[in-house]
Amino acid sequence: MAKAFKYGRKGITGQLEPAERELLRSLFDDVISMLEPDMRVNEDPLAALVGLDMQAREPTDRALRRLLPNVMKNDAEASLEFRRLTERSLRESKVGALKAAALGLDKDELVLTPADARHWSTALNDVRLVLAERLDIRDDADAGHVHLMQDWSQAEDVESYLALVYNFTTWLQESLVQAMLHSLEPRR
Amino acid sequence: MSLSVALGPDTRAGTQTGTASSTDVLTAPDIPWNLVVWNDPVNLMSYVSYVFRSYFGYSEAKANKLMLEVHKKGRSIVAHGGKEQVEQHAVAMHGYGLWATVEKATGGDGSTGSGKGKGKRG
């Protein structure tokens, strides 16, 4: 069983079982493959270099739309224009954090620098956002319902399995964020 | 999406009769915009508060107050400033996985420049 992250003299540390590391690696990889920009054939290399994507569109997949939301609530056109200027680099920074977190999964013991911790917290958050869409978590009541699922021996279908995975990543992120908040306190 | 400043006295010498179709919205840098963070059932309260503290440099008390406002009221204005500035914040929030949008600070949308021209055009 994983140990909660904690903040101490070595920085932020945590411990994961091999099966948990495998699970996290595949979750990070899944989200990376959702976010990685497609290679386009006739793309202007200069536009790509400066991070423009004139063909960007609002994602049809709900989870992806949650990761890459519109910047304005009621102005699809302005949001699209903004998306074309910014979405590519947003995707890249998310993929960068997910890859950085995945790199740390080689050992049982995790020792995180402040930058590692930031990567881990956003990576776990993005994984949870995707899982929550797959689980149809729309409000606090849905979240509470999913939260009841804690016993791995109850996992009998995809949904209960996903709920358990969601709860595990939630627990892990919460413990990490508590350690990060702790690290903001002035040292005595 | 350019600035639409009041045109000179000689408005477009076109043949179009009637209304000057300036649908541009005033987006001068001095018009304040808000950064709004929306509630969702996924983001942890501790995480939202952490983001407000570490990204904006807000105190623990201020970060918690804003976070609770998001949680209870469904949304909170967490920063304001020029359009480009709040847009930059919005991208940063999206990077963290928070659901953020930008909006003009004043309630009034549109109705560009009416009342500005002092009835010059007869």
Side-chain angles (χ1 to χ4, degrees):
Chain A
M1 186 56 195
K3 283 191 193 148
F5 282 102
K6 59 175 193 279
Y7 176 64
R9 265 180 307 135
K10 283 197 286 182
I12 292 173
T13 53
Q15 199 150 15
L16 296 168
E17 299 285 322
E20 293 163 339
R21 290 189 281 130
E22 265 326 291
L23 171 65
L24 287 170
R25 190 188 301 281
S26 74
L27 292 169
F28 292 156
D29 284 347
D30 282 349
V31 181
I32 288 170
S33 63
M34 285 173 66
L35 283 167
E36 242 160 12
D38 324 324
M39 296 299 283
R40 299 220 180 81
V41 191
N42 294 318
E43 193 168 41
D44 178 354
L46 186 63
L49 194 68
V50 296
L52 298 180
D53 183 357
M54 300 324 281
Q55 288 153 56
R57 264 184 288 158
E58 187 179 335
T60 46
D61 177 65
R62 252 191 352 218
L64 203 51
R65 208 156 57 213
R66 180 58 189 81
L67 294 178
L68 310 165
N70 278 346
V71 77
M72 289 193 200
K73 197 124 206 247
N74 299 313
D75 192 339
E77 200 184 331
S79 292
L80 180 61
E81 190 176 344
F82 189 72
R83 183 179 290 282
R84 290 180 168 163
L85 302 175
T86 57
E87 190 189 280
R88 183 191 290 262
S89 53
L90 180 58
R91 282 175 185 260
E92 283 167 357
S93 74
K94 282 182 179 293
V95 168
L98 287 154
K99 284 187 172 166
L103 272 181
L105 288 169
D106 293 342
K107 288 174 288 174
D108 286 355
E109 176 152 25
L110 291 158
V111 181
L112 306 182
T113 64
D116 293 336
R118 277 197 301 279
H119 290 145
W120 264 86
S121 64
T122 60
L124 286 171
N125 205 67
D126 284 347
V127 162
R128 292 181 57 247
L129 289 170
V130 171
L131 289 170
E133 287 299 338
R134 305 287 182 247
L135 283 163
D136 247 344
I137 298 178
R138 296 270 160 264
D139 53 32
D140 290 341
D142 296 337
H145 178 71
V146 167
H147 189 71
L148 293 176
M149 189 71 182
Q150 293 289 352
D151 183 355
W152 284 90
S153 65
Q154 293 169 8
E156 54 216 1
D157 53 21
V158 175
E159 196 180 334
S160 53
Y161 176 77
L162 279 184
L164 287 159
V165 171
Y166 179 80
N167 290 334
F168 169 66
T169 52
T170 301
W171 173 81
L172 195 62
Q173 192 196 9
E174 178 65 36
S175 94
L176 174 59
V177 174
Q178 290 303 335
M180 291 165 82
L181 285 167
H182 192 189
S183 76
L184 293 177
E185 315 278 309
R187 290 206 188 216
R188 272 179 286 170
Chain B
M1 276 291 167
S2 55
L3 305 183
S4 86
V5 195
L7 303 164
D10 52 337
T11 20
R12 259 156 268 163
T15 44
Q16 308 121 312
T17 47
T19 55
S21 65
S22 104
T23 50
D24 275 3
V25 184
L26 281 170
T27 53
D30 55 335
I31 293 183
W33 283 68
N34 291 333
L35 176 72
V36 180
V37 171
W38 300 84
N39 190 35
D40 71 54
V42 181
N43 280 321
L44 299 168
M45 292 164 86
S46 55
Y47 181 65
V48 174
S49 187
Y50 170 82
V51 171
F52 292 166
R53 282 176 75 178
S54 63
Y55 176 78
F56 294 109
Y58 291 159
S59 68
E60 182 177 2
K62 181 169 183 179
N64 286 338
K65 180 172 165 276
L66 292 172
M67 177 276 290
L68 285 172
E69 197 169 280
V70 172
H71 184 68
K72 289 180 179 153
K73 296 188 180 161
R75 53 169 267 163
S76 172
I77 294 166
V78 302
H80 43 84
K83 183 164 185 258
E84 282 192 11
Q85 194 184 7
V86 294
E87 281 177 345
Q88 213 172 3
H89 292 331
V91 176
M93 292 301 107
H94 297 169
Y96 283 107
L98 304 200
W99 179 22
T101 57
V102 302
E103 64 183 27
K104 251 193 296 182
T106 45
D109 36 310
S111 69
T112 38
S114 58
K116 210 180 208 173
K118 286 190 252 169
K120 249 179 193 163
R121 259 185 293 162

